[in-house]
């Protein structure tokens, strides 16, 4: 069974952010008459300023930094209908693998938001198990083992592989449990920090999911079929 992360693994997380900023841009213009909110947020994101971005955008436009308004913007951002698409290599990969092996997905983040992303990408039919960890509560986000245990149960003893992007949380648990782990290092990804120690490191790194099968072969593990 091959299990994937979602954000910056199957699509670029920044695309969700830009989609959300565009949605809020229309809302801000309609409710305040101010223009440029979405463009300001996008520029700040690309410059690496991703904390308190809505507060700073409101201030830049001369709007009051009201806590209630910030909460409203965060809610609207998380709940907007995302305009996102799979990376081309991800589409090819899922189309290759889904007919021959079981696939799983583990993703952190608010459940409604993550399920909206899954729906927008149209990938649900290709996965045996979809697990937004927030369905159990935020304390079950990675590296908590619960989602990985669920995938092991679904795999029924078959070998498992985890493909993800964030070395600070994605690989330590599956690696400790005997999975093979592969980090995809996409250009434009959000999380670029190195693993804090060897236990957090992936077994291999790739830049495209077109490299997945060859990388598994180099690791001595062919595609784990289950059908």
């Amino acid at each position: 069974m091959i299990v994937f992360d979602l954000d910056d693994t199957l699509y670029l997380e920044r695309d969700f952010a830009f989609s959300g900023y565009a949605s809020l841009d229309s809302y801000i213009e309609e409710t305040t008459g101010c223009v440029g909110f979405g463009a300001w947020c996008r520029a700040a994101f690309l410059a690496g300023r991703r904390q308190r971005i809505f507060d700073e955008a409101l201030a830049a436009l001369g709007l009051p930094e009201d806590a209630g308004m910030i909460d409203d913007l965060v809610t609207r951002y998380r709940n907007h209908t995302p305009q996102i698409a799979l990376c081309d290599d991800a589409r090819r990969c899922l189309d290759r693998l889904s007919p021959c092996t079981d696939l799983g997905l583990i993703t952190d983040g608010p459940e409604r938001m993550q399920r909206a992303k899954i729906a927008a990408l149209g990938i649900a039919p290709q996965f045996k198990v979809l697990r937004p960890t927030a369905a159990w509560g935020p304390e079950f986000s990675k590296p908590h083992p619960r989602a990985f245990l669920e995938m092991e149960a679904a795999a029924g003893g078959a070998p498992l592989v985890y493909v993800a992007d964030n070395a600070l949380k994605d690989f330590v648990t599956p690696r400790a449990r005997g999975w093979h782990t592969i980090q995809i290092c996409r250009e434009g990804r959000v999380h670029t920090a190195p693993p804090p120690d060897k236990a957090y490191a992936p077994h291999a790194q790739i830049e495209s999911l077109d490299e997945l099968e060859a990388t598994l072969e180099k690791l001595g593990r062919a595609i784990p079929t289950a059908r």
Side-chain angles (χ1 to χ4, degrees), residues 10-27:
L10 298 181
Y11 85 104
L12 280 172
E13 186 173 356
R14 71 182 186 189
D15 290 348
F16 178 84
F18 296 162
S19 172
Y21 301 155
S23 176
L24 294 180
D25 185 76
S26 299
Y27 174 70

Side-chain angles (χ1 to χ4, degrees), residues 190-204:
V190 172
H191 301 289
T192 58
D197 58 49
K198 185 176 180 180
Y200 283 76
H203 291 97

Side-chain angles (χ1 to χ4, degrees), residues 99-133:
C100 63
T101 191
D102 289 332
L103 303 180
L105 186 142
I106 299 173
T107 180
D108 292 341
E111 182 184 9
R112 179 174 174 179
M113 182 174 76
Q114 297 308 100
R115 289 196 184 277
K117 294 174 183 177
I118 292 166
L121 295 172
I123 57 176
Q126 294 179 289
F127 286 84
K128 181 177 182 179
V129 185
L130 294 163
R131 174 46 59 200
T133 59

